[in-house]
Amino acid sequence: MSIDHDRRFKVLLHEFFDEFLEAFFPKIYQALDLSEKKFLSEELFADMVEGDKKRADVIAETKLKSKKDVILIVHLEAQNYYQEDFSERMYLYYCMIYLKFRKPVLPIAIFSYDGVRDESDEFVVKVPHLMVVSVFHFLKLELSRMNWRKFMNSNNPAAAALMSRMNYSKRERVQVRLAFIRQMINMHLGEARESMINGFFETYLQLDKEEVDQLTNQAKKLPEEIQEEVLKWPNSTYDRGKQEGIEQGERKAKEQVARKLLQKGMSHAEISELTGLSEAAIKSIAIAGE
């Protein structure tokens, strides 16, 4: 079954947007007043390059600490093949969103794919043989080029989840999972949010039985006060780790996100597109919350 990368990343970013910026763009995080943040309805734009409908993955309006408005767009690129026109598409998204809102726009691209590449972070508009008209830059996050060890003690839920897409070898898989579990224990996120983060992580890094045995042996070498907590995670993963249990946990997390988006005034159709829940299910959640 194919993985819906867009939906998984959208749910993660909507729930942990502040933490995402804090972990990966700390200077920007420090400059923003995120108490003023609100997610905007995702606007559909005609893609002038491909002649299709495209959607910026997350659009959030907030303020700088100077109280000036700013809009952030975060676009996910999960394709495993090189796309020569990607920088141009980022430029078009930027222009379209700026023209609609007429506010400063900060564009961010997340590259999440297998293998390591050095993606461009600019698009140059020029008249051949005459002059450069303008140079457009955007921020980029290439997960496969990042060392997971930098985030193994971050206690940041966004960083913990995204370690699963970072650069690690096959023999490091158990260590990455163990680092993830230890962070989850420290963060105390609550059942629904833990299920969301764990579901995201296991989409990209799920241990086989031999690796679970390795993790159990490593956990037994940890201090007693956290050993028991760590050992609960692989067991619960594979007792609940029957697909039925994982899906149930993820549904609870999606329902929690849906409640928050209903409070922000999003339409049932938009919430359905974001979470994957049916509009009927979202209507039931809305009625229950009245």
Side-chain angles (χ1 to χ4, degrees):
M1 187 171 68
S2 62
I3 298 171
D4 190 341
H5 300 283
D6 286 350
R7 182 169 292 152
R8 289 195 177 278
F9 272 82
K10 286 176 186 178
V11 171
L12 179 73
L13 289 174
H14 271 268
E15 185 66 24
F16 298 105
F17 190 77
D18 298 16
E19 292 87 347
F20 167 76
L21 292 176
E22 182 180 21
F24 299 104
F25 301 100
K27 289 184 179 178
I28 291 171
Y29 174 78
Q30 291 296 330
L32 297 175
D33 178 4
L34 290 164
S35 67
E36 301 282 342
K37 173 184 83 263
K38 63 179 179 180
F39 292 108
L40 303 176
S41 299
E42 296 175 0
E43 300 292 330
L44 287 174
F45 300 106
D47 188 320
M48 299 181 334
V49 176
E50 297 180 4
D52 196 0
K53 294 291 184 180
K54 292 292 179 183
R55 163 189 307 272
D57 293 318
V58 175
I59 309 176
E61 182 177 10
T62 187
K63 291 184 182 294
L64 298 169
K65 288 184 176 172
S66 65
K67 297 304 178 184
K68 292 183 178 179
D69 291 338
V70 63
I71 292 174
L72 289 85
I73 56 173
V74 183
H75 180 75
L76 170 69
E77 187 57 41
Q79 302 291 344
N80 272 323
Y81 55 86
Y82 177 70
Q83 296 188 73
E84 189 174 351
D85 66 350
F86 178 80
S87 294
E88 182 180 17
R89 286 199 286 122
M90 283 296 292
Y91 175 64
L92 293 176
Y93 294 149
Y94 169 86
C95 291
M96 292 171 184
I97 292 172
Y98 178 78
L99 287 171
K100 179 167 183 63
F101 298 107
R102 293 302 178 100
K103 294 178 180 179
V105 177
L106 182 60
I108 299 172
I110 303 175
F111 295 97
S112 175
Y113 42 60
D114 301 324
V116 177
R117 298 199 295 264
D118 185 11
E119 296 284 354
S120 172
D121 61 356
E122 70 173 24
F123 177 67
V124 180
V125 181
K126 59 186 176 182
V127 179
H129 312 300
L130 291 179
M131 62 181 292
V132 171
V133 178
S134 66
V135 180
F136 165 74
H137 287 277
F138 56 91
L139 297 170
K140 67 174 181 176
L141 185 65
E142 292 183 88
L143 293 172
S144 64
R145 291 171 61 86
M146 304 189 77
N147 187 340
W148 68 274
R149 293 181 181 277
K150 180 180 177 182
F151 301 94
M152 64 185 293
N153 298 310
S154 68
N155 289 331
N156 178 300
L162 291 173
M163 281 198 309
S164 62
R165 299 302 290 149
M166 292 182 189
N167 187 14
Y168 50 83
S169 66
K170 185 175 181 180
R171 66 175 178 271
E172 290 179 308
R173 283 165 49 88
V174 173
Q175 293 173 274
V176 177
R177 176 67 178 171
L178 181 58
F180 169 78
I181 293 172
R182 295 186 69 171
Q183 290 188 71
M184 295 296 287
I185 292 169
N186 290 333
M187 288 187 283
H188 307 290
L189 297 175
E191 184 180 353
R193 300 176 99 206
E194 284 182 358
S195 293
M196 177 197 300
I197 293 291
N198 194 53
F200 182 99
F201 188 94
E202 287 199 332
T203 297
Y204 301 106
L205 200 171
Q206 187 170 111
L207 303 183
D208 59 30
K209 186 179 184 308
E210 182 180 344
E211 289 171 327
V212 171
D213 291 341
Q214 292 175 30
L215 187 146
T216 300
N217 290 333
Q218 289 189 29
K220 289 177 180 176
K221 300 174 184 177
L222 297 173
E224 277 189 35
E225 59 270 21
I226 63 168
Q227 183 184 128
E228 184 178 348
E229 290 296 315
V230 170
L231 288 173
K232 284 179 184 176
W233 274 84
N235 291 335
S236 65
T237 296
Y238 285 88
D239 290 338
R240 280 180 310 161
K242 300 167 183 175
Q243 191 61 29
E244 185 179 321
I246 292 176
E247 289 176 358
Q248 184 180 13
E250 288 187 349
R251 183 177 178 85
K252 289 173 90 173
K254 289 176 182 178
E255 289 173 351
Q256 182 169 306
V257 172
R259 290 187 193 97
K260 290 186 178 182
L261 297 181
L262 283 167
Q263 291 171 2
K264 295 177 184 295
M266 275 197 180
S267 72
H268 292 185
E270 290 168 333
I271 297 173
S272 176
E273 173 66 26
L274 177 63
T275 64
L277 297 172
S278 69
E279 290 191 41
I282 293 163
K283 184 178 180 180
S284 297
I285 293 170
I287 292 171
E290 291 177 355

